Amino acid sequence: MLALAVRRLAGALPTLLAIVAVAFFLMRLAPGGPFDQERVLPAAIEANLRQTYHLGDPLMTQSARYLGDLLRGAFGPSFKYQDFTVTELIWGGLPASLTLGLGAMVIAALAGVWIGLVAALKRNSRLDHAVMAIAMTGIIVPNFVVAPLLTLIFGIYLHLLPVGGWRSAAHAVLPIVTLALPQIAIIARLTRASAIETLGSPFVRTARAKGLSERRVMTHHVIKPALLPVLSYLGPATAGVLTGSVVVEQIFGIPGVVRYFIQGALNRDYTLVMGVVILYATLIILFNLAVDLLYRVLDPKLRTP
Amino acid sequence: MTELAAQSLDTAAPRGRSLGRDALRRFAANRAAMAGVAVLIAIALSALAVPVLSVHGRDEIFWDLIGAPPELSGWHPFGTDSNGRDLFVRTLHGARISLLVGIVATLVSLVIGVSYGAVAGYLGGRVDAVMMRLVDILYALPFLFFVIILMVVFGRSILLIFVALGAVEWLDMARIVRGQTLSLKRREFIEAARALGVPRLTIVRRHIVPNLLGPVVVYATLTVPRIILFESFLSFLGLGVQEPMASWGVLISEGAKAIDTAPWLLLCPAGCLAATLLALNFIGDGIRDALDPRDR
């Protein structure tokens, strides 16, 4: 197991390197630079700035220096937020982004599985059809529509929750719900389908035949195999939540990491954009690895004797 | 040997019940899918006809109706936006862009994905291993970030949206096509073609690809809504289509800003987007069920 983890981590390194390279050269290919602004800088100042940040060097030298910095764990200084390093900026935004992302993932997993199991147990009932229709809508309606709607209903009409900012727990409710809803819908559909398949399998019939209570059949025989496909969906789900947080952080005005990304790309803040891309790519890779390993522990068919 | 291929296919299907007609009958019996087709045709026809038939222009401003709610008497069924432009006409213009992006980007992903997957699957061996390893690596990339960088870096042209979205969506297609090709290439008519000395790429082009159409069509119908959604997402962030052009993402983004004073600005375009996505998903599911022989 440990050997496998190490092997997979080693396999992830070239991927990460490729991501760094593509992002680095794409950003440098862009027309314009970080010091272009409305007020044209005197040539001497601009030359000085470019020299300070080594922008005059050949691209290969620049990329080699950047890689060297990365290996020492430094993302370099931000080009736009002077006096801040990218690491500081990311650390500043990470608590909000992590609360949002992890909160959404936990809620999505719990609610999605629960709804899916209930729908599977009562399959083809009116409840099942209603729940699955709602889930389909949840998948279809994009989060940039859901977010303003929730704001309108709970913030403006009902005055129940704050609609923006990041000061108290109440501020986190609407953003987390917005992020979680589509994932709840997908996980509920997945759970339902796989639970129905499991319920029809021979070992469940055996369990019932030997007289186990319906409850015990569920807890001891159905839930674990039914959850395996859900587990393997958690990787794509993280990617989905990360993508969604681009919109959610913007709409709800949350001081997270992602808001730096779009602003940074528009400002040609090379190091900041690279920092966010590397952070998120690493998160996705690590999470996929964790899910993979967990899958091997839980699925008896993949267990090595 | 094309006839030979056709013959061996013919004998595979039972006579008098052709695969196509059978699938069509099953598709027509699927009520959700037929409703989807109706909705989609209605939206597509209105979008096509709007420059010719509409009462108002796309950028025409009604100075006395700024941010007016929907009303039928003055022909503003969706109301007007905060600049006094008719929202119904703008939504239909948005439909033109969204549908166009959806179809063209899907075609781009189709061409790349099908040729890549078919070649990898047919050649097999080390070529296949390298090609699919590349797909695995690309899968791990946070694509959204790259599309955003692309849009920021190279300016916001519609052409770039086509290419960027198509280039992102071909991966799944390549995997599906490769899997199908692996099972196809052991069939007798391929062996026959090989025995006759047909070059390998010609076999891929003439015998493999035409036989892949079923799963490819299904997957393509499900790709269109994903791309439409993605384009709206980019436009919502201000990285897609630019004013005065309208796409659903642009309109929704404007509506979201005025949600407290003029909710129809969000609800009308969002409703159209949701209806289109729902219709496309139902059609895709319908085609899949219609082509799935397990139901027979």
Side-chain angles (χ1 to χ4, degrees):
Chain A
M1 182 57 80
L2 191 67
L4 181 78
V6 171
R7 210 165 50 236
R8 291 289 308 271
L9 270 180
L13 271 181
T15 312
L16 206 56
L17 205 64
I19 292 172
V20 173
V22 173
F24 187 88
F25 289 109
L26 260 184
M27 281 305 284
R28 301 299 161 117
L29 270 177
F35 306 117
D36 295 348
Q37 31 187 304
E38 299 199 351
R39 195 166 58 91
V40 179
L41 290 172
I45 296 183
E46 175 145 8
N48 240 336
L49 275 171
R50 292 182 66 85
Q51 198 178 1
T52 315
Y53 291 105
H54 306 287
L55 285 178
D57 298 359
L59 264 189
M60 278 304 153
T61 322
Q62 286 189 42
S63 54
R65 177 178 298 112
Y66 187 73
L67 267 184
D69 282 351
L70 274 187
L71 287 180
R72 270 179 275 117
F75 286 126
S78 162
F79 285 53
K80 265 282 137 89
Y81 301 87
Q82 271 146 21
D83 305 331
F84 286 97
T85 65
V86 170
T87 316
E88 284 167 351
L89 288 173
I90 287 182
W91 273 117
L94 212 50
S97 288
L98 276 187
T99 314
L100 210 60
L102 286 180
M105 287 289 284
V106 170
I107 289 180
L110 292 179
V113 165
W114 184 67
I115 294 173
L117 285 179
V118 170
L121 280 179
K122 313 219 176 239
R123 69 171 164 284
N124 293 331
S125 70
R126 203 166 286 172
L127 178 77
D128 176 30
H129 288 309
V131 166
M132 284 305 119
I134 294 174
M136 185 75 182
T137 324
I139 296 173
I140 295 292
V141 181
N143 51 12
F144 50 88
V145 172
V146 171
L149 281 182
L150 290 179
T151 323
L152 184 69
I153 297 171
F154 293 98
I156 295 169
Y157 289 162
L158 300 177
H159 291 290
L160 281 178
L161 291 163
V163 297
W166 190 254
R167 285 188 296 280
S168 65
H171 286 87
V173 175
L174 286 184
I176 288 183
V177 169
T178 308
L179 267 185
L181 276 179
Q183 305 304 331
I184 293 178
I186 298 175
I187 292 177
R189 278 166 60 106
L190 268 178
T191 311
R192 176 182 178 273
S194 99
I196 286 178
E197 203 184 318
T198 313
L199 282 170
S201 60
F203 63 83
V204 171
R205 203 183 320 147
T206 311
R208 283 198 177 123
K210 69 183 184 188
L212 293 185
S213 72
E214 200 55 21
R215 185 187 189 85
R216 203 176 155 80
V217 171
M218 266 323 261
T219 53
H220 282 69
H221 296 276
V222 176
I223 286 188
K224 208 169 101 178
L227 285 191
L228 281 175
V230 179
L231 186 64
S232 56
Y233 173 69
L234 285 185
T238 341
V241 165
L242 289 184
T243 311
S245 58
V246 175
V247 162
V248 167
E249 286 193 8
Q250 176 160 327
I251 292 184
F252 291 100
I254 291 163
V257 175
V258 191
R259 83 196 145 125
Y260 287 131
F261 176 73
I262 294 179
Q263 208 45 51
L266 288 170
N267 286 339
R268 305 283 184 272
D269 196 338
Y270 300 138
T271 41
L272 187 53
V273 170
M274 298 284 303
V276 177
V277 168
I278 293 171
L279 173 75
Y280 274 42
T282 314
L283 278 180
I284 292 180
I285 290 174
L286 284 182
F287 205 83
N288 273 321
L289 179 67
V291 166
D292 227 40
L293 293 180
L294 203 59
Y295 203 96
R296 271 162 205 275
V297 176
L298 289 182
D299 190 351
K301 283 181 219 148
L302 290 175
R303 213 176 285 155
T304 36
Chain B
M1 72 277 135
T2 324
E3 288 105 310
L4 194 67
Q7 256 175 13
S8 76
L9 264 189
D10 264 349
T11 43
R15 292 224 170 267
R17 237 183 130 194
S18 87
L19 187 68
R21 189 168 306 169
D22 219 30
L24 205 64
R25 190 178 47 75
R26 260 179 304 195
F27 186 80
N30 185 335
R31 251 184 287 165
M34 288 313 278
V37 170
V39 169
L40 200 64
I41 288 179
I43 292 181
L45 281 184
S46 335
L48 278 178
V50 68
V52 188
L53 295 183
S54 77
V55 195
H56 318 303
R58 184 188 70 185
D59 308 326
E60 186 182 347
I61 295 174
F62 296 86
W63 292 103
D64 45 346
L65 286 172
I66 303 259
E71 47 130 353
L72 286 175
S73 55
W75 289 102
H76 298 294
F78 286 4
T80 57
D81 68 7
S82 49
N83 291 321
R85 294 173 297 191
D86 181 70
L87 188 63
F88 184 66
V89 171
R90 286 186 70 74
T91 305
L92 286 183
H93 275 279
R96 291 168 71 87
I97 303 256
S98 293
L99 292 178
L100 189 69
V101 170
I103 292 168
V104 175
T106 302
L107 287 181
V108 171
S109 80
L110 209 68
V111 171
I112 305 179
V114 170
S115 35
Y116 195 93
V119 168
Y122 187 71
L123 295 183
R126 196 165 295 166
V127 182
D128 177 40
V130 171
M131 284 174 89
M132 290 330 273
R133 181 77 196 119
L134 184 69
V135 169
D136 287 342
I137 291 178
L138 290 176
Y139 249 107
L141 298 187
F143 263 113
L144 169 86
F145 292 88
F146 280 99
V147 174
I148 290 179
I149 293 182
L150 271 180
M151 301 311 292
V152 170
V153 166
F154 295 108
R156 297 142 199 182
S157 74
I158 292 201
L159 194 69
L160 187 62
I161 299 183
F162 293 154
V163 176
L165 295 188
V168 171
E169 289 288 346
W170 65 271
L171 295 173
D172 287 312
M173 186 67 88
R175 280 194 169 170
I176 292 169
V177 166
R178 172 181 171 267
Q180 293 287 322
T181 309
L182 283 181
S183 67
L184 266 179
K185 77 174 181 188
R186 289 184 231 297
R187 297 271 294 273
E188 292 82 357
F189 65 95
I190 301 288
E191 238 168 77
R194 207 164 6 185
L196 285 169
V198 181
R200 286 197 289 189
L201 282 180
T202 314
I203 295 186
V204 170
R205 194 164 45 87
R206 295 290 294 274
H207 300 290
I208 301 269
V209 171
N211 282 299
L212 288 168
L213 278 182
V216 166
V217 166
V218 171
Y219 194 72
T221 15
L222 295 173
T223 306
V224 177
R226 278 218 308 279
I227 289 185
I228 291 182
L229 196 58
F230 207 164
E231 185 278 323
S232 306
F233 176 77
L234 286 177
S235 293
F236 178 84
L237 291 175
L239 298 172
V241 171
Q242 301 289 304
E243 284 273 356
M245 283 206 296
S247 90
W248 284 336
V250 174
L251 297 174
I252 289 172
S253 144
E254 283 167 15
K257 283 175 204 143
I259 183 86
D260 44 345
T261 51
W264 62 89
L265 288 183
L266 172 72
L267 293 178
C268 295
C272 286
L273 174 66
T276 308
L277 296 181
L278 210 55
L280 282 165
N281 274 298
F282 281 147
I283 295 173
D285 286 350
I287 297 180
R288 188 189 55 210
D289 293 346
L291 289 178
D292 193 348
R294 275 183 300 180
D295 271 0
R296 288 236 185 116

